[in-house]
Amino acid sequence: MAYSNFTLAAVLSTFQLETVESVGLFSESEPVTPRPHFTAELAKKVPLAATIGTEKARSELIVADVLFELREHFEERISLFSGIDFSVDVESGLTGVCDFLVSLSPLQTVLDAPVIMLVEAKKEDLISGLGQCVAEMLAAQRFNAEKENNVSCIYGTVTSGTDWLFLKLEAKCLHIDLTIYPIALCNKILGILANMVTQKA
C-alpha cells in the first residue's frame, strides 16, 4: 500500500486516529501580505491553470508559487521539497512520493527533520485527497521521531490551487477544518501556512 491508496476511512481505521471536524479552526490566523510581484503573477497564473485544468498545471502554476512565497516570507529559514520519495514505513504503507513538503530545517540539499507540513495537490475534489494527505502526515510524525526531532503538531493541506483545505495532527488526534479557503484570499492562506510553520495554528 502507498500514500495514494489510502482513503480517509482507511487511514483513520488503520492508525486508530481520533477525528475532530470543525469550521474555522484556522480562522484566527493573521493574514500575511504577499509581495506585489507575487500578487501580480498569481493573477495571471490562476486563470491559466484553471483553463488548462490539470493537476500538474495547478500544482506548478499556483501551489508551488504559494509555497515559494511562504519560503520567502521566512527568508529561506525553512526548506521546500516537491515530488520527492518519502518512504518512511513500508510495512505500514507509509510510502510513496509527496507532492510538496516543508521542513523547519533550512537545509535544501537533503530532507532533514522536523518535517512540519505536507501539501497534497488535487485537480478539484479536495475530499478525495484527505486520506493520502493524512497518511503523509503520519509518516512525517514517524520520520521526526526517528530523527529525535519531534514537533507537537504536523499540518496538512489538500489543495486544487484555487481552493485550500487545512488539517492538523496532534499525537493521535486529527483535526479537519471544513472551511475551504479560495485563492482570492491568498493573504489569509499565507497567514495560515505561516502559523503552521511557527506552530501557532
Side-chain angles (χ1 to χ4, degrees):
M1 199 164 188
Y3 300 127
S4 58
N5 294 327
F6 279 105
T7 63
L8 182 59
V11 77
L12 295 179
S13 172
T14 301
F15 297 98
Q16 300 182 325
L17 300 179
E18 175 191 350
T19 310
V20 179
E21 295 179 339
S22 57
V23 175
L25 176 63
F26 300 100
S27 61
E28 297 300 313
S29 299
E30 287 294 321
V32 168
T33 303
R35 298 167 299 163
H37 172 74
F38 167 79
T39 304
E41 287 294 308
L42 193 66
K44 297 176 184 177
K45 290 181 177 181
V46 168
L48 176 60
T51 302
I52 295 172
T54 64
E55 180 181 313
K56 187 170 188 289
R58 291 168 178 268
S59 177
E60 291 175 346
L61 293 170
I62 306 174
V63 182
D65 277 17
V66 170
L67 295 176
F68 180 80
E69 184 68 13
L70 177 70
R71 185 170 178 263
E72 288 294 290
H73 175 72
F74 285 98
E75 299 177 340
E76 303 182 10
R77 295 192 304 274
I78 60 175
S79 51
L80 169 63
F81 296 86
S82 173
I84 67 166
D85 182 78
F86 190 54
S87 297
V88 174
D89 186 342
V90 176
E91 288 186 7
S92 298
L94 300 180
T95 181
V97 173
C98 295
D99 286 342
F100 298 94
L101 57 81
V102 175
S103 170
L104 294 185
S105 166
L107 286 177
Q108 193 60 69
T109 51
V110 62
L111 177 62
D112 199 8
V115 172
I116 186 74
M117 183 193 312
L118 289 301
V119 181
E120 183 60 34
K122 288 296 174 189
K123 183 177 177 182
E124 286 178 354
D125 183 9
L126 302 187
I127 301 303
S128 70
L130 288 176
Q132 183 174 352
C133 188
V134 173
E136 292 169 1
M137 293 164 71
L138 285 161
Q141 255 187 355
R142 296 188 181 193
F143 177 80
N144 293 341
E146 287 171 5
K147 301 285 187 178
E148 298 182 347
N149 200 338
N150 289 324
V151 287
S152 58
C153 297
I154 302 293
Y155 297 95
T157 304
V158 180
T159 178
S160 64
T162 49
D163 290 315
W164 296 66
L165 186 153
F166 299 102
L167 309 94
K168 176 168 74 171
L169 180 63
E170 212 168 358
K172 299 280 282 185
C173 185
L174 174 69
H175 298 266
I176 303 174
D177 187 348
L178 299 177
T179 306
I180 294 177
Y181 293 87
I183 194 62
L185 299 178
C186 187
N187 60 342
K188 187 67 173 179
I189 291 168
L190 283 169
I192 293 170
L193 295 172
N195 272 7
M196 290 176 170
V197 168
T198 57
Q199 292 269 299
K200 294 179 181 176

